[in-house]
Amino acid sequence: METKGFEHHDHHHCIATSLRTVEEACKAQGLQFTPVRRRVLEILLDEHRAMGAYDVLDVLRKEGLGSQPPVAYRALDFLVANGFAHRIERLNAFVACTAPGERHAPCFLICRACSAVAETPGRRASDALRSAAGELGFKVERVAIEAEGLCPACVEAGA
Amino acid sequence: METKGFEHHDHHHCIATSLRTVEEACKAQGLQFTPVRRRVLEILLDEHRAMGAYDVLDVLRKEGLGSQPPVAYRALDFLVANGFAHRIERLNAFVACTAPGERHAPCFLICRACSAVAETPGRRASDALRSAAGELGFKVERVAIEAEGLCPACVEAGA
DNA sequence: GGATCGCATGTTATGATATAACGTTCGCGG
DNA sequence: CCGCGAACGTTATATCATAACATGCGATCC
Ligand SMILES: [Zn+2]
Ligand SMILES: [Zn+2]
Ligand SMILES: [Zn+2]
Ligand SMILES: [Zn+2]
C-alpha cells in the first residue's frame, strides 16, 4: 500500500482502478454493488478529501438518486463495513479507501488548512498500540489513528 | 504515566490527587479554575467512562450550575484545551485525563461492552506515526489514537 | 471613584450529524 | 404463485455542537 493524497497522480486512472477493484471484490464476495453504492463511492473518489454524509447526500439529491439522510448513510455504511471507504472520526466524515481489498490498518493525515486527507499505512503505529493493549489484557478489535496538522503543500505555503 | 481505568484502584484518592494537581496547574499558569469548570472535572473523574456533553449538562442542571449546552461545552473546552480532559472522537464524548500536567500522547482503549475507557501512554504508537508522517513532509500537530475492543473484565465474562 | 477592559457566564436560537421505524419494491428459491 | 430477504423510500426524531448577543464582575488605569 502506498500513501495517496498529497502528491500528484493520475487521478482518472486512480479512480478507475479503485472502482474496478471494488467491483471485483463485490462480485467475489457476493455483495451487491448497487447504483447508489457505486455512485457514492465515485463521489468520494472524486476528491481526496473527507466528505460529510450530507455533502454526499447533496450530490445524490441533484442526481435524483436519493434525497433523505438514510440513503447516504446506508451506502456509506456499506462501503465502510466492507473496507471500501473509511470514516474519519475527527471530522465526522468519510473518504474512499486508497487500497480497497488489501487488509490494512489505515491511518489518516488530515491537513487543517486545506482539508486534504491522506491515507497511509498505520502498521507500525497499530502494532505498537496492539502490543501495549495486549499487556493490559485488552482485546483490540478496531483502531482509529488520525493525525491533524499541515500537509506538505500547506507547510510550504504557510511558513 | 500509568494506565488507569481497568484495574481496581483507590478511586477517592485518585480523584483527590487529580483535582489537586489541576488546581495547582491552574494557579501556576494563571488559569481560572471556576466552580463550573471544577465541577465538570469532578463529574468526569467520578467514573472512568466517557461522558457526552449532554450527560455532563444533565448533572449540572440538577445542581443549578447551568442549564444550556454552551455551559457544558465551554467548561469541557477549557479542560480539553489545557490537557485536564480529553475528547474521545469515536464517541463524541469526554474523559478526565489520568495524568493531568504531564505532557503526553494519550491513547484510548474503549470497551464496546461496558464502555470503560482507559488512557494509556501512546508514545510508541505516536512516534511511529510521526516518523511515517515526517517522511511524507506532513507536519503533525495533534494525534488521536483510539482502539475499540474488549476490556480484560469483559473478555473474561464474554467468552 | 469612575471609566474601561477582559473574561467567564447566561440565554436564545439554530445548525450539523445520525438513526429509528415502517412501508415499498423486487429478485430468487420453494 | 408464494414467501423471503435485501435494498431502498420516507417520515419523524434523536443527538451533538455552535453562533450570537446580553449580563456580571473583578482588575487596571487615571
Ligand atoms: Zn486519486
Ligand atoms: Zn494542506
Ligand atoms: Zn480513578
Ligand atoms: Zn468492558
Side-chain angles (χ1 to χ4, degrees):
Chain A
M1 176 177 163
E2 168 203 4
T3 303
K4 284 227 191 78
F6 297 148
E7 79 293 358
H8 291 121
H9 62 279
D10 180 344
H11 196 46
H12 284 292
H13 176 261
C14 129
I15 291 180
T17 305
S18 288
L19 272 176
R20 193 156 5 88
T21 306
V22 170
E23 233 159 43
E24 280 159 20
C26 284
K27 187 170 291 181
Q29 300 173 243
L31 300 171
Q32 302 186 47
F33 197 40
T34 64
V36 182
R37 290 169 176 179
R38 183 193 178 92
R39 185 67 191 116
V40 169
L41 179 58
E42 287 173 357
I43 291 166
L44 292 181
L45 280 166
D46 264 350
E47 314 195 40
H48 287 291
R49 283 183 40 239
M51 297 184 72
Y54 281 75
D55 297 333
V56 171
L57 182 57
D58 283 344
V59 178
L60 294 180
R61 245 198 273 266
K62 278 179 202 141
E63 301 176 354
L65 273 172
S67 61
Q68 300 305 319
V71 174
Y73 280 102
R74 284 196 286 235
L76 290 165
D77 286 348
F78 168 85
L79 296 172
V80 170
N82 294 287
F84 306 142
H86 301 289
R87 180 184 164 83
I88 313 280
E89 302 295 345
R90 174 101 188 85
L91 305 174
N92 295 327
F94 303 82
V95 275
C97 175
T98 55
E102 297 177 37
R103 291 187 67 250
H104 58 294
C107 152
F108 298 99
L109 306 178
I110 305 161
C111 179
R112 66 167 162 77
C114 71
S115 297
V117 172
E119 177 178 351
T120 194
R123 263 281 318 292
R124 277 184 289 171
S126 153
D127 286 351
L129 176 51
R130 274 168 205 279
S131 86
E135 286 163 21
L136 299 168
F138 186 93
K139 185 162 162 256
V140 174
E141 291 170 348
R142 272 188 306 175
V143 179
I145 302 177
E146 303 175 2
E148 189 173 312
L150 289 176
C151 76
C154 290
V155 167
E156 203 152 326
Chain B
M1 177 177 164
E2 171 201 3
T3 303
K4 283 226 193 77
F6 298 147
E7 80 293 358
H8 291 121
H9 61 280
D10 180 343
H11 196 45
H12 284 293
H13 175 263
C14 129
I15 291 180
T17 304
S18 288
L19 273 176
R20 194 157 2 91
T21 305
V22 171
E23 233 159 44
E24 280 160 18
C26 285
K27 188 171 292 182
Q29 301 173 242
L31 300 170
Q32 303 187 46
F33 197 39
T34 64
V36 183
R37 291 170 177 179
R38 184 193 177 92
R39 186 67 191 115
V40 169
L41 179 58
E42 287 172 359
I43 291 166
L44 292 180
L45 279 167
D46 264 350
E47 314 195 40
H48 288 291
R49 282 182 42 238
M51 297 184 72
Y54 280 73
D55 298 333
V56 171
L57 182 57
D58 283 344
V59 179
L60 293 180
R61 247 198 273 265
K62 278 179 201 139
E63 301 176 353
L65 273 172
S67 61
Q68 301 305 320
V71 173
Y73 279 101
R74 284 197 285 235
L76 289 165
D77 287 348
F78 169 86
L79 295 173
V80 169
N82 294 286
F84 306 142
H86 300 290
R87 179 183 165 85
I88 313 280
E89 302 294 346
R90 174 102 188 83
L91 306 174
N92 294 328
F94 302 82
V95 276
C97 176
T98 55
E102 297 177 37
R103 293 187 66 248
H104 58 292
C107 151
F108 298 99
L109 306 178
I110 305 162
C111 179
R112 67 166 161 77
C114 71
S115 296
V117 172
E119 177 177 351
T120 194
R123 264 279 320 290
R124 275 186 292 171
S126 154
D127 286 351
L129 176 50
R130 274 167 205 280
S131 87
E135 286 163 22
L136 299 168
F138 186 93
K139 184 161 163 256
V140 174
E141 291 169 347
R142 272 189 306 176
V143 178
I145 302 177
E146 302 176 2
E148 189 172 313
L150 289 176
C151 75
C154 291
V155 167
E156 203 153 326

